[in-house]
Amino acid sequence: MKQYLINSMIVLATFFGCRTSSNEIVIKKTELNHQPIITEKDFNDFFENISRLQLATIDTAKLDSSYKSFYDGFNAVLNSKLLRAKNIFKELLLKTDNKGIEINSKKILSDLFFNASQWDELIKLFEKIKLDAGENNNFELIKAFNESDPETYHFADDDIILPISLSKSGTPIITAKVNGNDVNFWIDTGAELSVLASDIAEQIGIKQIGKSSSKAMTATSKKINFSPAVIDSLEIGTLKIKNHPILILQKEDLEFSLLAGLVKIKIDGIIGWNAIRNLSLSINFPGNLLTIKKPIAKKLSDKNFFWLGYPFITLTSEEGIPLCFGLDTGAKNSILTKNIFSKIDFEQIESTNESIGGAGGFENVTVDLVSNFKAILNNHQITINDIKVFPPKSYSIIKHDGIIGSDLLKNAVVEIDYQNGMFEINFTEEK
């Protein structure tokens, strides 16, 4: 439990996300009258059904008041009613004597506070538990952010349209100004905080804040050192962000060699989720354009995008079973996790060896291989052949079924609007 409360700070998602082989992806438009009937699977446990987004299987009429409140709070998260969700879970912590309700309420609250940069609320939550030495380092990191000036966003009247390039892994790259200096940034939804490489930070005078550095777990399960810092001025086109919290990583941990050293990649900076959540983004991958808008509240009936330790998209299998996939623009390939085996039976499963990469380097792992996976996303039938299945990473209470990477996005215009709970993908060509 104690470890979970600091996961938002120390578990960094795949920055590079490189895998040695690519998926074969087929996209077809589906008509509304051909949409599958939603059929949820009952896991016969309240929290298991919650974590796997099988909410329709829960008979709310039979729940006691604590479980009903938890259900309502979780629904509020899924529907972008985050103030309501926080109030529900805070009240639950004050009243409940149910250990499961208490533990899972703390998990969700820590994610919600982190996502809103409510460092003071995180500190209060931390102070309710006894921290060991390693966790105390992360507590110091949060206190450092809390002692900094509040972050602010200043949008111009017009939309911001910027050219992008794509990294070798397909991640969008833009040029932004840090304290007046041009820096290339990867746009990575899977990185919880924005990042600067240590050499870039030194060149432009960005220094560590707080008393201590700490370690982060990367996508490859390697631990790397990081230090908290704040960018005084981050300009993305006409957007001006003041006092933006970041992590400084050693430049060696953001350098990669591919193809026996023939291709070298260096990441100077990453625009992470703590900036992306405050923007409405349209990423035109084939057109190499990024459009940034100020989020405007909309009344949407079908929200499909939320954040609990990681950005998640809801979609369905071709049989109509609700699925939950992480969105990681920093990952080269889309993957499945072994959680999906509890929802879908696959006819052909093999094993293969893969090399995966993230901040800190590469590692070889043995993974399962599914010959054919189909799902429905935004009225598109997506078929991925020879998709890898990895053990799930624990980012939050959610037990996700897979991750959508840049291989699925490269022929699409992608709309990311977290404030309205909306992810939309429109393919420029169907194949």
Side-chain angles (χ1 to χ4, degrees):
M1 176 58 215
K2 291 187 291 182
Q3 181 65 28
Y4 184 87
L5 288 176
I6 62 171
N7 275 351
S8 288
M9 295 307 303
I10 69 168
V11 178
L12 303 181
T14 310
F15 290 153
F16 179 53
C18 174
R19 293 180 173 87
T20 56
S21 56
S22 297
N23 298 326
E24 178 189 352
I25 299 177
V26 179
I27 308 296
K28 291 182 180 180
K29 187 75 173 178
T30 61
E31 301 299 329
L32 288 177
N33 59 347
H34 291 148
Q35 292 290 316
I37 298 173
I38 301 301
T39 307
E40 298 196 359
K41 298 197 69 171
D42 190 352
F43 289 88
N44 298 310
D45 179 83
F46 176 82
F47 290 115
E48 197 69 13
N49 284 326
I50 288 282
S51 67
R52 296 177 184 272
L53 298 192
Q54 309 300 294
L55 271 64
T57 64
I58 299 173
D59 187 350
T60 56
K62 295 181 178 179
L63 298 177
D64 68 20
S65 59
S66 291
Y67 280 98
K68 181 62 167 60
S69 292
F70 190 98
Y71 180 93
D72 291 342
F74 189 77
N75 253 324
V77 172
L78 298 184
N79 287 284
S80 306
K81 298 177 181 179
L82 302 183
L83 179 59
R84 171 174 166 76
K86 282 182 267 192
N87 288 336
I88 288 174
F89 289 116
K90 284 198 289 186
E91 185 175 355
L92 273 173
L93 284 181
L94 292 174
K95 295 182 176 180
T96 188
D97 56 2
N98 182 299
K99 202 64 178 177
I101 295 286
E102 178 188 357
I103 290 172
N104 286 289
S105 294
K106 285 180 179 178
K107 288 181 181 181
I108 292 177
L109 265 181
S110 65
D111 279 339
L112 294 178
F113 291 150
F114 173 84
N115 192 38
S117 297
Q118 290 181 280
W119 312 119
D120 55 338
E121 294 286 356
L122 265 178
I123 288 172
K124 292 177 186 176
L125 202 56
F126 269 55
E127 288 175 341
K128 291 182 179 180
I129 59 176
K130 186 177 180 180
L131 301 173
D132 63 27
E135 293 167 330
N136 192 61
N137 286 336
N138 294 281
F139 184 48
E140 292 297 326
L141 181 146
I142 291 172
K143 287 201 298 184
F145 285 141
N146 188 51
E147 293 167 0
S148 302
D149 291 333
E151 184 181 21
T152 59
Y153 286 69
H154 301 276
F155 291 85
D157 293 333
D158 297 327
D159 296 346
I160 303 164
I161 302 176
L162 298 174
I164 62 173
S165 59
L166 298 179
S167 72
K168 296 295 183 182
S169 64
T171 303
I173 301 174
I174 61 169
T175 300
K177 288 188 178 294
V178 177
N179 297 348
N181 300 275
D182 286 346
V183 177
N184 291 328
F185 284 91
W186 292 33
I187 301 175
D188 188 352
T189 57
E192 292 175 296
L193 289 170
S194 298
V195 169
L196 276 180
S198 58
D199 58 330
I200 302 299
E202 184 176 1
Q203 288 173 20
I204 57 183
I206 304 293
K207 296 182 179 180
Q208 173 183 331
I209 60 173
K211 299 178 180 179
S212 63
S213 299
S214 192
K215 290 184 180 293
M217 187 78 73
T218 73
T220 58
S221 300
K222 296 180 182 294
K223 289 188 176 182
I224 58 175
N225 293 318
F226 67 83
S227 302
V230 170
I231 292 177
D232 295 331
S233 173
L234 174 61
E235 297 181 39
I236 307 174
T238 56
L239 170 65
K240 297 182 179 180
I241 306 174
K242 300 292 185 183
N243 307 314
H244 184 54
I246 66 165
L247 301 179
I248 298 175
L249 271 62
Q250 293 302 307
K251 71 180 185 66
E252 294 83 7
D253 291 324
L254 294 172
E255 295 175 339
F256 308 90
S257 294
L258 306 177
L259 302 176
L262 295 177
V263 177
K264 295 185 182 296
I265 294 176
K266 165 72 162 63
I267 301 175
D268 291 336
I270 295 170
I271 299 294
W273 181 254
N274 62 321
I276 295 170
R277 71 183 183 218
N278 296 308
L279 312 173
S280 176
L281 299 183
S282 175
I283 308 174
N284 186 334
F285 281 81
N288 295 111
L289 286 177
L290 169 69
T291 302
I292 302 175
K293 300 179 182 180
K294 182 179 181 179
I296 299 174
K298 302 174 184 177
K299 291 185 178 180
L300 300 176
S301 57
D302 296 323
K303 295 178 184 284
N304 67 345
F305 191 44
F306 68 99
W307 194 94
L308 277 177
Y310 203 73
F312 291 111
I313 301 165
T314 56
L315 56 159
T316 61
S317 72
E318 63 174 345
E319 299 85 8
I321 299 171
L323 303 176
C324 180
F325 274 58
L327 174 66
D328 191 349
T329 56
K332 179 182 179 183
N333 286 345
S334 302
I335 66 165
L336 302 177
T337 74
K338 291 189 176 185
N339 289 331
I340 203 166
F341 291 152
S342 63
K343 294 180 179 179
I344 301 175
D345 293 325
F346 294 99
E347 292 183 358
Q348 290 181 286
I349 302 175
E350 302 175 0
S351 294
T352 184
N353 293 320
E354 285 291 308
S355 176
I356 63 171
F362 287 79
E363 69 179 7
N364 293 318
V365 296
T366 300
V367 301
D368 293 325
L369 185 69
V370 168
S371 61
N372 185 269
F373 167 71
K374 292 182 179 180
I376 306 296
L377 174 62
N378 292 147
N379 298 326
H380 289 90
Q381 183 190 67
I382 298 166
T383 302
I384 306 179
N385 296 321
D386 297 330
I387 185 170
K388 280 64 174 191
V389 186
F390 286 77
K393 299 278 186 180
S394 178
Y395 297 117
S396 72
I397 187 177
I398 302 299
K399 293 183 177 179
H400 61 296
D401 302 298
I403 291 176
I404 291 175
S406 61
D407 57 345
L408 184 58
L409 310 176
K410 64 183 180 183
N411 292 313
V413 178
V414 176
E415 310 285 339
I416 300 173
D417 186 350
Y418 168 71
Q419 300 296 328
N420 287 295
M422 189 271 289
F423 171 85
E424 186 172 330
I425 187 167
N426 294 293
F427 294 93
T428 57
E429 60 180 74
E430 294 177 14
K431 52 184 185 173

